[in-house]
Amino acid sequence: MRLLLVEDDRRLAARLIRLLREHGYIVDHVANGVDAAFKGAEQPYAIVLLDLGLPGRSGIDVLRSWRAQGMAVPVLILTARDNWPDRVEGLRAGADDYLGKPFQPEELLARIEAIIRRHHGHTSARLSVAGVTLDADARTVELPGNKAQ
């Protein structure tokens, strides 16, 4: 799955890109709000990880612009602005979730997976097609006539 990472902190962006790629994501990265607004409107992404404190244009402004254009891409705000008024503003602007920095990588990955599942109408981490069941949480596959592998 392709995601857009909008983060101006180069060291954090490099760590996140490495983490996300290790977990199978294709990552596009931009470091400012102007490029984020353009890139987000240009590509279909599974999810956008959006910082708020960006040069050029704020993350909230970018998010509001996308929502005003009718873009339904899921957005997870990742920011150091972690007080409750900022969280409320981000969610009301159209974010699907909000995670304050610093955060644990496992929590970030779990939130990404949950948002993508919900966006595609799935409430469970178990997916079944033609008798094959994938359990993303347990990281197992059940084949017809066999137990988890």
Side-chain angles (χ1 to χ4, degrees):
M1 277 184 237
R2 181 177 294 273
L3 64 79
L4 177 61
L5 173 63
V6 183
E7 174 59 60
D8 62 327
D9 180 325
R10 290 181 189 205
R11 289 189 304 207
L12 176 57
R15 287 194 310 267
L16 288 173
I17 290 167
R18 188 173 42 257
L19 171 74
L20 294 163
R21 286 183 177 159
E22 286 172 359
H23 284 84
Y25 294 98
I26 299 166
V27 181
D28 292 342
H29 171 245
V30 295
N32 65 70
V34 174
D35 291 342
F38 175 76
K39 191 82 165 170
E42 166 186 272
Q43 286 281 347
Y45 289 103
I47 190 168
V48 175
L49 307 181
L50 180 65
D51 188 11
L52 296 182
L54 299 169
R57 190 171 180 189
S58 77
I60 285 288
D61 185 45
V62 170
L63 178 56
R64 286 186 176 132
S65 172
W66 286 340
R67 296 306 189 231
Q69 295 171 40
M71 291 177 49
V73 63
V75 174
L76 170 57
I77 292 176
L78 289 178
T79 186
R81 297 180 190 171
D82 195 30
N83 60 53
W84 74 263
D86 288 327
R87 290 190 304 267
V88 168
E89 180 183 23
L91 293 167
R92 286 191 173 151
D96 296 272
D97 201 355
Y98 196 109
L99 185 59
K101 297 174 188 172
F103 52 84
Q104 294 299 316
E106 294 82 7
E107 181 180 5
L108 172 64
L109 292 168
R111 286 175 183 259
I112 290 169
E113 292 165 8
I115 292 168
I116 291 172
R117 266 196 325 265
R118 283 192 312 267
H119 185 71
H120 291 285
H122 303 288
T123 57
S124 170
R126 292 178 57 90
L127 302 173
S128 295
V129 176
V132 177
T133 301
L134 168 69
D135 186 328
D137 288 340
R139 300 190 187 273
T140 60
V141 175
E142 293 177 29
L143 303 172
N146 292 333
K147 291 290 183 190
Q149 305 277 323

